[in-house]
């Protein structure tokens, strides 16, 4: 599949000779040289391991001045290439946004390919994590991303609950949607074996229930995401927090 923006054109694909768990990224770059020391960390934050890089050949008129790079990538061990390619359009769009600085570059992007989230959903989870860090949570970013990735039913349920509570459109029955999301969360939590993962996921659940309002579903939320929190509903906070607005 292809994804185009002003400076990058990306294609994620497989060749018949590629091994299981491998795929390729072809990136057409039209603005100067592509710096590998900048590009490889972006790919790693999407969960890829870069096996090989084919530098651009001599330019040809067909490329219209673009420089074409091709990467051979390895997926995380637990993920098949066929499973990943089902999410390829979302991943390519997210990669293009990160490469141009329109989206953040951190390990939360692994959830895009791993669980089929889009950039907006990854942004919601990232904001929840940052709020929890402000309130004293000691779990690091990588630990949180791994916990969310290991519990796809819980993570998808958390996002469904957030949408059911706050989306302005597309929710026919808000109460029923919340009940369905809660059921998925509880079912997923029942299958979580690691105690730290359980604590993390329950902290995200509690936090989402404490969000009173958000601009996540209007245009302003794309620039600066805001939550109005009932901080008294978040366990472990010092007295005096009350209700606050956090960006």
């Amino acid at each position: 599949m292809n994804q185009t923006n002003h400076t990058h054109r990306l294609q994620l694909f497989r060749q018949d000779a590629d091994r299981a768990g491998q795929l390729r990224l072809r990136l057409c770059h039209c603005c100067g040289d592509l710096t590998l020391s900048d590009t490889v960390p972006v790919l790693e934050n999407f969960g890829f391991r870069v096996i090989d890089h084919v530098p651009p050949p001599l330019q040809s008129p067909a490329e219209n001045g673009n420089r074409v790079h091709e990467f051979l990538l390895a997926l995380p061990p637990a993920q098949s290439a066929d499973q990943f390619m089902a999410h390829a359009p979302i991943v390519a769009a997210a990669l293009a946004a990160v490469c141009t600085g329109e989206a953040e570059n951190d390990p939360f992007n692994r959830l895009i390919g791993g669980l089929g989230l889009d950039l907006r959903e990854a942004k919601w989870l990232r904001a929840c994590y940052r709020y929890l860090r402000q309130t004293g949570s000691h779990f690091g970013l990588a630990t949180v991303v791994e916990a969310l990735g290991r519990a796809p039913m819980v993570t998808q349920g958390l996002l469904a609950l957030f949408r059911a509570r706050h989306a302005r459109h597309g929710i026919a029955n808000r109460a029923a949607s919340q009940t369905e999301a809660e059921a998925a969360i509880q079912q997923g939590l029942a299958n979580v074996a690691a105690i730290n993962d359980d604590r993390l996921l329950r902290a995200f659940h509690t936090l989402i229930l404490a969000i009173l309002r958000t601009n996540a579903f209007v245009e302003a939320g794309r620039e600066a995401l805001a939550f109005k929190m009932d901080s008294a509903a978040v366990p472990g906070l010092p007295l005096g927090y009350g209700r606050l607005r956090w960006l």
Side-chain angles (χ1 to χ4, degrees), residues 99-163:
C99 286
T100 56
E102 299 170 18
E104 293 195 51
N105 175 31
D106 67 21
F108 270 97
N109 293 333
R110 295 177 192 169
L111 301 175
I112 296 172
L115 302 184
L117 308 190
D118 60 27
L119 270 174
R120 185 177 64 164
E121 292 169 328
K123 184 176 182 178
W124 298 342
L125 294 174
R126 182 183 293 113
C128 289
Y129 162 72
R130 289 177 175 169
Y131 182 84
L132 290 172
R133 289 287 288 181
Q134 283 194 344
T135 64
S137 173
H138 64 279
F139 292 110
L141 190 153
T143 301
V144 171
V145 171
E146 289 170 4
L148 292 167
R150 282 192 291 262
M153 180 176 289
V154 179
T155 302
Q156 295 287 5
L158 292 171
L159 293 169
L161 180 62
F162 183 71
R163 286 190 294 269

Side-chain angles (χ1 to χ4, degrees), residues 1 3 12 23 46 48 75 79-95 109-118 152 156:
M1 65 75 52
Q3 179 67 32
L12 286 165
L23 72 158
F46 276 83
F48 299 122
L75 293 168
Q79 192 168 23
S80 71
D82 289 341
Q83 177 189 23
F84 180 88
M85 290 304 292
H87 304 148
I90 300 171
V91 177
L95 270 169
N109 293 333
R110 295 177 192 169
L111 301 175
I112 296 172
L115 302 184
L117 308 190
D118 60 27
Q156 295 287 5

Side-chain angles (χ1 to χ4, degrees), residues 1 13 50 57 59 64 66 72 74 86 88 103 116 146 160 167 185 209 221 235:
M1 65 75 52
F13 64 100
V50 179
Q59 291 182 349
N64 297 319
N66 292 338
L72 177 62
E146 289 170 4
I185 292 168
L209 291 174

Side-chain angles (χ1 to χ4, degrees), residues 211-229:
I211 296 173
L212 301 173
R213 290 195 302 180
T214 178
N215 66 351
F217 297 93
V218 297
E219 189 62 30
R222 295 182 181 274
E223 295 296 324
L225 181 63
F227 298 148
K228 183 174 184 181
M229 308 290 301

Side-chain angles (χ1 to χ4, degrees), residues 1-5 9-13 26 28 88-89 92-93:
M1 65 75 52
N2 297 291
Q3 179 67 32
T4 303
N5 65 16
R9 187 167 71 251
L10 293 88
Q11 181 186 17
L12 286 165
F13 64 100
R26 184 174 292 133
C28 294

